[in-house]
């Protein structure tokens, strides 16, 4: 298994385009699955968007039951427990296309199939799985996940909810308050995290929702977006739970919570993709129809700029999400082949790529917000009105940067996990980082390289952006060592560099793979998007790198690193950015929708 790619290794190993999975690689079965999900979404969700905006919780629940009947709730569940037992890419695909119409349903679906069901599938024992998972997979029962408390948000392990063992040792009595619980209003079973005694870590429990057993709830929360997703506070007052309903073992709750969130993060990225496609398509259609100064506004450069950027971020998000999903799937399959159980394989497979999951969560949740924001702007005053789908898309997008771990936490996690992997020897960062140091001391080459091949220069720039990251992160680690955790602003800046490298590389590799298969002339718009994305990534790496260097280095060291940063963010041939945007928008406007 040693030749298999590890999480975070994209930074220090060259990835060939043949080795990444792209949406162009979907199989016939996957395309059929996608089309049936799209049909469900259009008919049951998009066509009834007003119901979700009017807080019709019953309709959300009814739609979830229908999704259960169609088998969509059991995609990731093994066949032994009533699911479809499909691969990780399929899971992301269903999540992607079922989530584009409304954040209300998307949240209900994500909370149920992810953090509501997964902890039992991945950590439950055989009896627990046989008892609960088939009902959850079919939609007969719905799941919810009770982690957050009034005093425990990002610091999830600080919860005060208590679990006390009865004298006869047969039940735990759970008392505490949980908040922001998605699906609380219609769920049958909760995954509840509570602390036993003075344990350092919390413990997970499977708790059936029975109001006569000390479980009560507040009214539905009034929220900015995702208005028809049920969100309530849940109170447990000496709720009795049989000891056999402990999930995994005592004190393992924090681990369960964190690993469930890893899966949730890549799924959340997937859940933002079709929303971006729909927003972009809606904006293109409106721009083609709206006439001002006797001209469709789609012909104006200021609008074309927005459309090109919206399409590019959507395309980049797809590229990176499916690349990571397949890397996880391959890792899971390799572990199964080695004799791991489905549980162990899936857990370890996702955990291996936790860095990529955090990167995707941040990048795609921010892109979908920007996309919806520009969507409103293209619609002008109409975009601000509830009569168009833009304002609800904008409101729904806002939560994506908060749940499944805030984007701030995920930024720090991505770099923190990378450094931990380097310490464990799983990713060799130190070797490449010291090579960068040597390169800075040496004389730069003044040869003009041969960049005649597609993406030759872009790949050279990518390799340089990785060096820039290694230089900055390596410098910070050398300076602060284990205290780096206390320098959050530096970690955040490093994370932004890391995120842009992964997203830009994924976009370039996807496009190169398609160009090799179909010919460059068939993908000139995709080539333009890959080049546009990289150009903006270079700017961000430059900005964040500079901010870090001038904040932790001084004197000669600072001058040296700034010189290195300039070298690592330099183009030999600058792209014509306005020209790239024009190429991208021409096709969008001609096709009258997001067409990539």
């Amino acid at each position: 298994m040693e030749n298999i790619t590890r999480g975070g290794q994209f930074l220090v190993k060259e990835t060939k385009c043949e080795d990444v999975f792209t949406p162009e690689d979907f199989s016939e079965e996957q395309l059929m699955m996608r089309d049936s999900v799209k049909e469900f979404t259009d008919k049951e969700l998009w066509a009834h968007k007003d119901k979700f905006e009017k807080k019709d919780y019953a309709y959300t629940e009814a739609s979830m039951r229908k999704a259960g009947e169609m088998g969509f709730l059991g995609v990731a569940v093994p066949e032994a427990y009533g699911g479809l037992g499909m691969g990780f890419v399929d899971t992301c695909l269903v999540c992607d296309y079922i989530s584009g119409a409304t954040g209300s349903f998307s949240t209900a679906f994500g909370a149920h199939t992810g953090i509501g069901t997964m902890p039992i599938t991945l950590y439950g024992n055989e009896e627990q799985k046989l008892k609960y998972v088939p009902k959850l997979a079919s939609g007969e029962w719905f799941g919810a996940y009770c982690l957050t408390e009034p005093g425990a948000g990002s610091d999830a392990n600080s919860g005060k909810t208590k679990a006390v063992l009865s004298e006869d040792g047969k039940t735990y009595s759970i008392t505490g308050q949980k908040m922001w619980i998605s699906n609380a209003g219609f769920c049958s079973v909760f995954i509840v995290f509570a602390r036993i005694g003075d344990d350092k870590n919390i413990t997970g429990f499977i708790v059936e929702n029975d109001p006569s057993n000390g479980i009560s709830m507040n009214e539905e929360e009034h929220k900015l977006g995702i208005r028809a997703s049920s969100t309530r506070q849940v109170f447990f007052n000496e709720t009795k739970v049989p000891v056999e309903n402990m999930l995994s073992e005592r004190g393992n709750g924090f681990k369960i919570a964190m690993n469930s969130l890893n899966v949730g993060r890549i799924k959340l990225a997937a859940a933002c993709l079709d929303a971006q496609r729909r927003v972009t398509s809606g904006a293109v259609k409106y721009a083609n129809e709206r006439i001002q100064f006797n001209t469709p506004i789609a012909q104006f450069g200021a609008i074309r700029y927005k459309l090109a950027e919206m399409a590019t971020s959507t395309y980049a998000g797809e590229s990176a999400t499916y690349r990571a999903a397949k890397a996880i799937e391959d890792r899971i399959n390799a572990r199964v082949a080695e004799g791991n159980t489905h549980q162990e394989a899936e857990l370890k497979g996702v955990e291996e790529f936790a860095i990529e999951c955090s990167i995707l969560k941040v990048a795609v949740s921010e892109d979908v917000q920007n996309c919806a924001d520009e969507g409103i702007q293209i619609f002008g005053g109409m975009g601000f009105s509830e009569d168009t789908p833009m304002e609800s898309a904008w409101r729904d997008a806002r939560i994506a940067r908060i749940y499944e771990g805030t984007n701030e936490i995920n930024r720090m996690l991505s770099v923190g996990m990378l450094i931990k992997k380097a310490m464990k020897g799983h990713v060799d960062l130190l070797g490449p980082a010291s090579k960068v140091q040597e390169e800075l001391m040496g004389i730069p080459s003044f040869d003009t390289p041969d960049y005649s091949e597609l993406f030759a220069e872009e790949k050279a720039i990518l390799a340089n952006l990785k060096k820039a990251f290694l230089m900055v992160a390596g410098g910070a680690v050398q300076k602060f060592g284990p205290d780096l955790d206390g320098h959050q602003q530096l970690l955040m800046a490093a994370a932004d560099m890391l995120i842009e490298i992964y997203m830009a590389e994924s976009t370039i590799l996807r496009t190169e793979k398609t160009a090799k298969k179909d010919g460059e002339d068939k993908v000139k718009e995709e080539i333009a998007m890959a080049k546009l994305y990289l150009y903006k990534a270079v700017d961000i790496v430059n900005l964040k790198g500079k901010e870090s260097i001038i904040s932790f280095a001084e004197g000669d060291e600072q001058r040296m690193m700034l010189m290195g940063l300039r070298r690592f963010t330099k183009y030999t041939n600058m792209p014509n950015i306005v020209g790239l945007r024009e190429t991208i928008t021409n096709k969008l406007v001609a096709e009258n929708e997001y067409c990539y």
Side-chain angles (χ1 to χ4, degrees):
M1 216 161 102
E2 274 322 297
N3 61 351
I4 199 160
T5 308
R6 301 197 73 125
Q9 264 184 346
F10 70 89
L11 199 60
V12 289
K13 263 179 103 166
E14 193 193 346
T15 307
K16 297 204 171 358
C17 71
E18 292 78 11
D19 297 338
V20 297
F21 179 86
T22 75
E24 288 72 31
D25 297 322
F26 289 144
S27 65
E28 283 301 308
E29 290 80 19
Q30 285 170 326
L31 292 172
M32 279 164 63
M33 187 66 164
R34 181 193 71 184
D35 292 343
S36 73
V37 174
K38 269 168 97 164
E39 191 185 342
F40 169 84
T41 305
D42 285 332
K43 204 168 92 202
E44 304 294 342
L45 309 177
W46 188 259
H48 301 281
K49 210 166 160 56
D50 57 321
K51 292 186 176 169
F52 294 103
E53 293 317 305
K54 290 181 179 137
K55 304 188 183 181
D56 187 341
Y57 301 105
Y59 191 72
T60 302
E61 186 181 347
S63 307
M64 283 287 288
R65 294 221 183 274
K66 278 191 185 144
E69 285 157 24
M70 301 277 296
F72 298 148
L73 301 180
V75 177
V77 172
E79 290 176 58
Y81 311 109
L84 299 178
M86 293 170 90
F88 199 81
V89 172
D90 300 305
T91 308
C92 287
L93 185 65
V94 171
C95 187
D96 173 350
Y97 283 91
I98 212 163
S99 301
T102 162
S104 298
F105 180 84
S106 171
T107 300
F109 177 84
H112 170 75
T113 56
I115 50 183
T117 306
M118 292 282 295
I120 308 179
T121 337
L122 296 185
Y123 285 97
N125 58 36
E126 200 55 25
E127 294 78 79
Q128 290 168 341
K129 287 190 288 191
L130 287 168
K131 181 173 180 185
Y132 293 107
V133 177
K135 288 180 174 166
L136 292 166
S138 67
E140 181 189 340
W141 278 23
F142 294 117
Y145 177 87
C146 299
L147 178 62
T148 305
E149 298 183 13
S154 294
D155 182 5
N157 204 25
S158 65
K160 303 267 186 289
T161 298
K162 287 276 175 220
V164 180
L165 188 60
S166 61
E167 295 208 344
D168 62 8
K170 286 184 181 166
T171 57
Y172 279 97
S173 172
I174 294 184
T175 302
Q177 174 185 2
K178 298 288 181 179
M179 67 193 300
W180 311 126
I181 306 308
S182 296
N183 296 353
F186 60 84
C187 79
S188 325
V189 66
F190 296 105
I191 308 291
V192 181
F193 294 92
R195 193 177 311 279
I196 304 172
D198 291 328
D199 286 5
K200 178 172 174 257
N201 291 324
I202 49 181
T203 299
F205 295 90
I206 304 169
V207 181
E208 293 181 26
N209 184 7
D210 172 6
S212 69
N213 185 18
I215 299 176
S216 58
M217 293 182 202
N218 270 5
E219 286 303 297
E220 291 286 352
E221 299 284 352
H222 298 289
K223 308 186 292 291
L224 171 72
I226 57 169
R227 289 183 168 173
S229 77
S230 171
T231 313
R232 294 182 164 193
Q233 289 194 35
V234 182
F235 301 92
F236 298 96
N237 185 8
E238 299 197 359
T239 301
K240 305 285 178 283
V241 184
V243 288
E244 55 269 25
N245 274 30
M246 182 189 285
L247 199 50
S248 183
E249 53 207 52
R250 178 170 174 169
N252 228 5
F254 187 59
K255 199 171 174 184
I256 297 172
M258 292 305 104
N259 281 332
S260 305
L261 289 175
N262 282 337
V263 184
R265 282 166 187 155
I266 184 168
K267 300 263 187 72
L268 180 60
C272 294
L273 295 175
D274 198 48
Q276 285 188 77
R277 291 186 206 104
R278 286 175 187 259
V279 165
T280 305
S281 290
V284 173
K285 285 184 173 66
Y286 185 80
N288 273 331
E289 287 162 16
R290 172 77 171 160
I291 309 286
Q292 288 292 284
F293 310 103
N294 297 327
T295 312
I297 64 169
Q299 297 308 318
F300 294 122
I303 301 295
R304 296 171 77 80
Y305 172 104
K306 295 182 189 306
L307 294 174
E309 296 286 345
M310 290 159 78
T312 300
S313 70
T314 306
Y315 180 73
E318 290 172 351
S319 309
T321 302
Y322 285 104
R323 172 191 182 181
K326 184 67 164 71
I328 290 171
E329 183 174 297
D330 289 347
R331 188 78 182 191
I332 292 168
N333 292 343
R335 283 189 168 273
V336 169
E338 285 190 340
N340 281 159
T341 63
H342 164 79
Q343 272 176 306
E344 291 168 327
E346 182 124 341
L347 268 175
K348 288 284 179 235
V350 176
E351 200 176 348
E352 179 61 55
F353 289 93
I355 294 167
E356 285 81 351
C357 292
S358 280
I359 285 174
L360 286 165
K361 193 272 177 180
V362 173
V364 186
S365 66
E366 292 180 1
D367 284 343
V368 73
Q369 183 89 58
N370 293 335
C371 189
D373 198 69
E374 292 289 40
I376 290 181
Q377 197 68 12
I378 289 168
F379 272 68
M382 283 303 292
F384 205 70
S385 159
E386 285 186 7
D387 296 339
T388 62
M390 288 296 159
E391 67 88 41
S392 64
W394 184 85
R395 285 186 290 98
D396 283 354
R398 188 59 188 84
I399 187 63
R401 284 153 54 199
I402 298 169
Y403 58 20
E404 306 284 353
T406 66
N407 283 12
E408 291 70 27
I409 287 283
N410 273 293
R411 276 186 164 87
M412 290 183 287
L413 268 177
S414 62
V415 178
M417 289 187 291
L418 186 63
I419 293 169
K420 274 202 186 81
K421 281 197 151 197
M423 304 287 186
K424 282 184 182 162
H426 289 180
V427 175
D428 175 21
L429 287 187
L430 299 172
S434 58
K435 278 207 187 80
V436 174
Q437 291 290 356
E438 282 165 35
E439 188 177 328
L440 289 179
M441 297 299 192
I443 296 163
S445 157
F446 294 106
D447 299 345
T448 310
D450 170 19
Y451 285 147
S452 51
E453 228 176 88
L454 174 67
F455 290 139
E457 177 163 8
E458 285 73 17
K459 286 164 133 180
I461 288 170
L462 260 178
N464 277 339
L465 295 184
K466 293 177 183 182
K467 289 177 186 173
F469 174 85
L470 289 166
M471 174 182 75
V472 172
V477 169
Q478 271 179 328
K479 172 132 191 185
F480 299 112
D483 299 337
L484 186 58
D485 279 1
H487 297 269
Q488 291 193 348
Q489 293 192 42
L490 293 178
L491 283 173
M492 303 269 285
D496 282 335
M497 298 169 80
L498 188 66
I499 289 165
E500 291 307 320
I501 290 166
Y502 188 71
M503 301 300 288
E505 181 177 75
S506 303
T507 310
I508 287 168
L509 291 174
R510 171 188 182 180
T511 311
E512 184 189 12
K513 189 175 186 181
T514 317
K516 280 187 175 174
K517 198 167 81 236
D518 301 343
E520 287 178 37
D521 52 330
K522 291 273 200 307
V523 290
K524 60 178 198 295
E525 294 83 9
E526 286 87 343
I527 291 170
M529 289 193 285
K531 289 182 171 182
L532 177 61
Y533 194 95
L534 179 68
Y535 176 78
K536 299 189 74 172
V538 169
D539 263 359
I540 292 170
V541 169
N542 201 357
L543 183 76
K544 298 293 178 178
K546 185 176 168 188
E547 183 186 304
S548 299
I549 292 165
I550 60 181
S551 299
F552 76 77
E554 43 200 25
D556 284 347
E557 185 192 12
Q558 187 189 87
R559 275 194 294 279
M560 189 83 177
M561 288 175 94
L562 288 173
M563 184 191 74
L565 186 65
R566 277 194 297 277
R567 195 191 295 179
F568 295 144
T569 51
K570 194 168 112 261
Y571 274 87
T572 304
N573 307 290
M574 284 285 190
N576 172 350
I577 293 300
V578 172
L580 294 178
R581 288 200 194 101
E582 282 299 312
T583 300
I584 298 161
T585 310
N586 281 338
K587 186 171 176 185
L588 285 172
V589 168
E591 303 259 343
N592 203 27
E593 63 176 358
Y594 176 78
C595 49
Y596 297 116

